[in-house]
Amino acid sequence: MTKPATYAAAGVDIDAANRATEKIKELARTTFNARTLSEIGSFGGMFDGAFPEMRAPVLVASADGVGTKLKIAFATAVHNTIGRDLVNHCVNDILVQGARPLFFLDYVATGKLAPETIAGIIEGITIGCRENGCVLLGGETAEMPGFYADGEYDVAGFIVGIVDREKIIDGKAIAPGDVMLGLPSVGLHTNGYSLARKLFFEVAGYEPDSFLDELGETVGAALLKSHVSYLRNLETLLDTATIKGLAHITGGGLLENIPRILPAGTAVEIKRGSWPVLPVFTAMQRLGNIEEAEMFRTFNMGIGMVVICSAEHAGEIKQAAGDVYEVGRVVAGDKSVSLVS
């Protein structure tokens, strides 16, 4: 007699999923606030959407992942930092329009569900949510046998924030003569990892635990450095109308992201040497003999967020935002970015 087929025999362990869900509920509750109206496990997350203190509240939403930085997590077996990267990346993406985060949802998919690994990922997400005052409202954990390599997974994040319509930052007021400020990154953040992995692991033949004097740490540690959130640096400025434009420096680097916020008739000149380029970038440029333009359109080069403001407000923003470098200026042009000495 043929043995009865089961979902578990097909590779999906519902009991493991239930154990993971219980841990997720426990972690998610640490992010809840008075606006949270549902528990993890509901079919839909509910959030109080009344904002009487705002004249015209506008919701701002974004979705993203962390790309092949996941490969570094797999290689090092460090799974509790990727989630924080994910949240911070999404927070920055809505911050550029002046929005503060309200709630976050995640999607985690894997071939075989390992509750301890899922818990590590969600731990990182909840840390990121708490740091940014953002509720982890819900998400999905999918077990998909045969779809992912053993021990691998994918993660994606979805964020919703809010800004009063009159306080939206859209770059329309940017004009020649404005100043460009840069907030420092701590590493690659979440972009450029396909090239970084090729350079360190294929070209140079290093392992994740290889210690490099040039970096002052192992390759794995350098590549796992967290994606920084700039919300706390800039939050007090969001209501002051001093910021004309913000650009989150992700895929495409400085050369591709800054033009996204420039109005017609303007361009930007970035001054070489106006901020310290991190050792991880100089190491990669050396390993691959990479041209300067390619570095600047692939990596953030040590600047994770760009602020454009009038010259008269530059001092105020520097004082409020903490570590800030004056990295360039706005000139007349056709929405281009150039490097100048």
Side-chain angles (χ1 to χ4, degrees):
M1 186 174 181
T2 304
K3 185 178 180 180
T6 65
Y7 212 6
V12 178
D13 190 339
I14 295 176
D15 292 331
N18 289 337
R19 291 195 300 273
T21 299
E22 289 306 310
K23 183 61 177 178
I24 291 169
K25 287 181 180 179
E26 180 184 329
L27 289 166
R29 288 189 191 104
T30 67
T31 72
F32 287 3
N33 58 29
R35 290 185 177 274
T36 312
L37 304 179
S38 58
E39 279 280 352
I40 295 294
S42 302
F43 284 97
M46 294 188 292
F47 192 87
D48 182 354
F51 297 92
E53 71 280 9
M54 290 188 173
R55 293 179 58 187
V58 174
L59 296 180
V60 184
S62 187
D64 221 313
V66 295
T68 59
K69 188 172 187 176
L70 290 171
K71 288 287 191 179
I72 312 300
F74 305 154
T76 58
V78 176
H79 305 292
N80 62 354
T81 61
I82 286 294
R84 186 174 178 229
D85 291 328
L86 182 64
V87 174
N88 287 348
H89 185 125
C90 290
V91 167
N92 289 339
D93 276 351
I94 63 170
L95 176 62
V96 300
Q97 290 164 299
R100 294 174 171 89
L102 295 174
F103 57 84
F104 188 85
L105 299 100
D106 66 87
Y107 174 79
V108 184
T110 187
K112 182 172 178 57
L113 195 149
E116 64 280 2
T117 299
I118 300 299
I121 299 167
I122 303 302
E123 177 189 353
I125 290 175
T126 56
I127 290 171
C129 284
R130 291 196 301 271
E131 290 174 343
N132 288 286
C134 184
V135 172
L136 177 56
L137 193 60
E140 166 71 354
T141 302
E143 189 173 21
M144 301 163 63
F147 202 83
Y148 294 93
D150 289 346
E152 297 196 353
Y153 52 82
D154 196 12
V155 295
F158 311 87
I159 197 166
V160 174
I162 194 163
V163 60
D164 215 338
R165 184 186 294 269
E166 63 186 16
K167 295 176 181 177
I168 292 172
I169 299 171
D170 57 16
K172 290 180 180 178
I174 292 172
D178 285 343
V179 172
M180 188 167 72
L181 308 175
L183 278 66
S185 69
V186 296
L188 278 68
H189 282 187
T190 51
N191 66 280
Y193 277 85
S194 294
L195 179 54
R197 290 186 300 112
K198 179 179 180 66
L199 294 171
F200 282 115
F201 303 136
E202 295 181 27
V203 174
Y206 295 129
E207 298 292 337
D209 60 357
S210 297
F211 184 93
L212 300 188
D213 291 337
E214 186 175 2
L215 302 179
E217 58 191 339
T218 66
V219 173
L223 295 181
L224 275 181
K225 283 189 179 298
S226 182
H227 194 127
V228 175
S229 166
Y230 298 100
L231 175 64
R232 298 309 179 203
N233 300 80
L234 300 173
E235 189 168 23
T236 60
L237 299 165
L238 297 180
D239 299 320
T240 65
T242 57
I243 297 175
K244 290 188 176 185
L246 291 169
H248 184 199
I249 310 305
T250 58
L254 289 157
L255 302 188
E256 302 289 339
N257 283 288
I258 295 173
R260 295 166 66 177
I261 64 167
L262 295 178
T266 63
V268 160
E269 291 181 346
I270 298 175
K271 186 178 179 181
R272 294 182 179 90
S274 55
W275 74 91
V277 174
L278 300 172
V280 68
F281 298 116
T282 55
M284 288 190 294
Q285 187 168 17
R286 175 183 57 79
L287 289 171
N289 191 29
I290 303 173
E291 293 182 357
E292 180 184 60
E294 184 68 13
M295 291 294 296
F296 273 82
R297 73 190 301 266
T298 303
F299 303 111
N300 66 59
M301 298 301 289
I303 297 295
M305 181 73 77
V306 161
V307 182
I308 297 180
C309 63
S310 64
E312 65 179 299
H313 289 135
E316 177 185 346
I317 292 173
K318 288 178 184 179
Q319 185 173 11
D323 290 336
V324 179
Y325 301 99
E326 190 165 323
V327 298
R329 63 184 184 130
V330 180
V331 297
D334 189 21
K335 301 178 71 170
S336 60
V337 178
S338 57
L339 302 172
V340 300
S341 299

